[in-house]
Amino acid sequence: MTISTKLRAAAAASVLAMGGFALASTAPALAHHHNSKPAKAQANIVQTAVGTGVHETLVAAVKAADLVDTLSSPGPFTVFAPTDDAFAALPDGTVSTLLQPQNKGQLQNVLTYHVVSGRVPASALSAAIKRHGGTYSFKTVAGEELTASFSGDNNIVITDGANRTSTVTMADVNTANGVIHVTNGVFLPG
């Protein structure tokens, strides 16, 4: 099963688990909008990342990994999106090595380690951290775990499999097919 197929299957499972509520809740109510302009469609995850100006490396990696179509699909997905500065902080050569065609599988694993099936707003993640005594572990689409906790100033901190921590610097960037939480670090599996 390809990564794209896994992401689509995970998204479908999350919608089914919600009993179709997600589909029903996003349907527009019947209304008459005479003499009004059509509403502008909200951007998807990839379009939003392209427009931020601080996710150029992430967008290049998503393209190199052939994940554009998947992350543009209905989802929903939650993406922890490292900034360009986060990628630049990796050891020299890491990004250029991952972007090489022969490392596409490894790049897909790194990127899907930043994706969670379903729409998980910061409020839900914060509630889970509190409910679980200060730390909350959850699975990513890559099948690996991340652990969320709070830093001293109540910012959400994510710890990856390599025991590296990244802070969510901007939460709840809503998109048409999910939510983005901007991070100051790149997650790496253990």
Side-chain angles (χ1 to χ4, degrees):
M1 184 180 286
T2 66
I3 296 295
S4 180
T5 305
K6 287 180 186 176
L7 281 170
R8 286 192 182 109
S14 71
V15 170
L16 290 174
M18 291 186 275
F21 177 75
L23 294 175
S25 67
T26 59
L30 293 176
H32 296 285
H33 296 286
H34 300 288
N35 299 323
S36 65
K37 294 181 183 179
K40 184 178 177 183
Q42 187 176 18
N44 65 39
I45 288 168
V46 175
Q47 293 165 331
T48 300
V50 166
T52 66
V54 297
H55 291 105
E56 292 176 18
T57 307
L58 177 61
V59 171
V62 167
K63 289 176 181 178
D66 288 333
L67 292 174
V68 172
D69 288 343
T70 301
L71 291 175
S72 297
S73 71
F77 304 110
T78 298
V79 175
F80 293 91
T83 63
D84 293 334
D85 289 342
F87 279 103
L90 291 172
D92 286 342
T94 302
V95 173
S96 60
T97 299
L98 285 171
L99 291 176
Q100 293 175 1
Q102 66 268 26
N103 296 324
K104 182 176 169 181
Q106 185 180 4
L107 179 60
Q108 287 176 334
N109 286 336
V110 169
L111 292 176
T112 58
Y113 192 38
H114 291 77
V115 180
V116 177
S117 183
R119 185 181 293 265
V120 183
S123 59
L125 191 53
S126 294
I129 294 167
K130 291 174 186 172
R131 210 174 32 252
H132 289 89
T135 61
Y136 176 66
S137 293
F138 54 96
K139 284 225 186 265
T140 67
V141 172
E144 302 280 341
E145 281 196 358
L146 293 171
T147 301
S149 59
F150 293 116
S151 66
D153 52 5
N154 280 334
N155 285 328
I156 296 174
V157 174
I158 307 294
T159 304
D160 66 17
N163 209 31
R164 296 166 34 106
T165 59
S166 301
T167 301
V168 173
T169 58
M170 179 184 288
D172 296 333
V173 178
N174 288 307
T175 70
N177 63 337
V179 62
I180 296 172
H181 301 305
V182 179
T183 64
N184 67 356
V186 178
F187 309 153
L188 299 173

